[in-house]
Amino acid sequence: MNVDLAVAAYAEPTHGAVLRTIIADDERLAREKLRKLLASEPGIQIVAECSDGEQTLLALREFGADLIILDVQMPTMDGFEVLSHLTPDEIPAIIFATAYDKYALRAFEAHALDYLLKPFDQGRLHSALERARMELGRSRDREITRRILSLLERVKNGAEQPSPVLRLVIREKGRIVFLNLDEVEWIEASANYVRLHAGKESHLFRETISRIAERLDPDHFIRIHRSTIVDLRKIKELIPVNSGEYIVVLKNGKELSCSRGYRSALQNVIQKHS
């Protein structure tokens, strides 16, 4: 390569899946700190460190990394400009790391997996890397890329149709969480908010349950109560009770009530998928 690109010569980890990672930040101290934090994480191989947009673009094309930890503001090209010069096949999983929260929406639109606000610690970085591992494990076949290409094709042909939201950007406790709706098991109303339950975590999102229901994929999510939505794929069994209602049992053991007013809709969806 004809740029001053620092290529890491670290030994490749021998256990588990290896994430070939590029660090892109114009501040030397920020790169050094990130390198030290990554050294404590298993299965990370740093293949390049870049200090400006041009280096970053060349490194992405040269090394075909799995993951990039990308600053927004850099010389020659900012992080978003770098991504705009790449084809979908060239774009790896993206974690933005920046001192500014104003770019969060653009990061979401760029399909970033996470958005780290500086200064961040080992725990926050670890959480972002775990999210990257999970997403890459599910998407090795570039399913996200195919969806993007399909959407672009519909837009170009003037046939774009409203499509269900796939992810939400949630601001909580001084951080920004990118939540894939495939991770959500059930949703409950909480005044002008909804609480999204995903595994051992739950996230509070400012939206009414009626509005969030309109944004979800109706083939996957169904309202079973005026204050409850569930992912059909997470249901283990239905138990009828004397009142004409159902107890909906999720795969994680959680029991939810399906009221009579929503029972027929649930039955219709079950018949459709049976």
Side-chain angles (χ1 to χ4, degrees):
M1 301 179 64
N2 298 320
V3 294
D4 183 17
L5 178 66
V7 180
Y10 312 129
E12 186 169 304
T14 57
H15 299 288
V18 175
L19 293 184
R20 292 168 46 81
T21 303
I22 292 174
I23 297 172
D25 197 305
D26 64 325
E27 296 182 4
R28 179 180 57 82
L29 293 178
R31 295 196 304 273
E32 290 179 357
K33 177 183 177 182
L34 186 52
R35 190 190 320 127
K36 291 178 181 178
L37 291 176
L38 289 171
S40 300
E41 296 289 337
I44 299 293
Q45 182 191 15
I46 301 173
V47 296
E49 294 181 23
C50 309
S51 60
D52 64 39
E54 183 181 357
Q55 289 183 0
T56 304
L57 181 60
L58 290 173
L60 284 164
R61 288 173 171 167
E62 177 75 14
F63 295 105
D66 301 305
L67 172 68
I68 183 168
I69 302 178
L70 180 63
D71 192 8
V72 175
Q73 295 186 338
M74 295 188 295
T76 68
M77 286 185 283
D78 68 28
F80 297 112
E81 288 178 292
V82 170
L83 298 177
S84 72
H85 283 80
L86 297 169
T87 67
D89 286 337
E90 292 174 322
I91 299 177
I94 307 161
I95 295 174
F96 278 98
T98 177
Y100 307 97
D101 64 2
K102 63 183 179 181
Y103 301 111
L105 180 58
R106 288 188 66 189
F108 171 68
E109 292 171 347
H111 301 276
L113 293 179
D114 213 327
Y115 191 92
L116 303 180
L117 286 175
K118 298 176 182 177
F120 50 86
D121 58 15
Q122 187 79 56
R124 184 68 183 90
L125 176 62
H126 178 78
S127 175
L129 292 174
E130 287 300 296
R131 180 178 291 274
R133 293 184 192 281
M134 291 176 60
E135 183 64 27
L136 286 169
R138 288 194 296 258
S139 306
R140 289 293 181 183
D141 60 352
R142 297 291 185 178
E143 177 62 27
I144 292 178
T145 297
R146 289 201 294 271
R147 289 177 183 173
I148 295 171
L149 291 174
S150 175
L151 175 59
L152 291 174
E153 186 65 25
R154 292 201 301 272
V155 171
K156 185 169 65 175
N157 294 333
E160 181 185 8
Q161 298 294 328
S163 59
V165 64
L166 300 177
R167 292 195 297 172
L168 296 175
V169 179
I170 301 173
R171 296 173 181 265
E172 60 180 18
K173 298 178 182 178
R175 64 176 186 152
I176 297 170
V177 177
F178 290 74
L179 180 65
N180 289 326
L181 285 173
D182 281 347
E183 302 173 24
V184 174
E185 296 162 332
W186 65 288
I187 303 169
E188 63 177 326
S190 180
N192 291 326
Y193 290 79
V194 291
R195 183 168 293 279
L196 302 106
H197 296 268
K200 296 180 180 179
E201 297 183 352
S202 68
H203 304 277
L204 202 60
F205 183 63
R206 188 173 179 81
E207 185 68 281
T208 66
I209 196 159
S210 295
R211 290 287 301 275
I212 196 72
E214 294 173 356
R215 301 173 64 185
L216 298 173
D217 187 342
D219 287 333
H220 293 163
F221 289 91
I222 185 168
R223 198 165 176 178
I224 62 171
H225 190 277
R226 62 183 179 87
S227 61
T228 311
I229 298 171
V230 299
D231 185 340
L232 289 165
R233 298 166 296 180
K234 308 298 193 306
I235 295 177
K236 179 182 178 182
E237 62 178 320
L238 302 175
I239 303 175
V241 293
N242 293 334
S243 62
E245 300 182 351
Y246 281 118
I247 298 297
V248 177
V249 183
L250 303 185
K251 293 177 181 178
N252 65 4
K254 177 68 178 180
E255 295 185 357
L256 302 168
S257 174
C258 175
S259 62
R260 282 181 291 179
Y262 294 92
R263 182 182 61 182
S264 60
L266 178 59
Q267 290 173 328
N268 291 338
V269 173
I270 292 172
Q271 291 174 359
K272 177 181 175 182
H273 288 80
S274 61

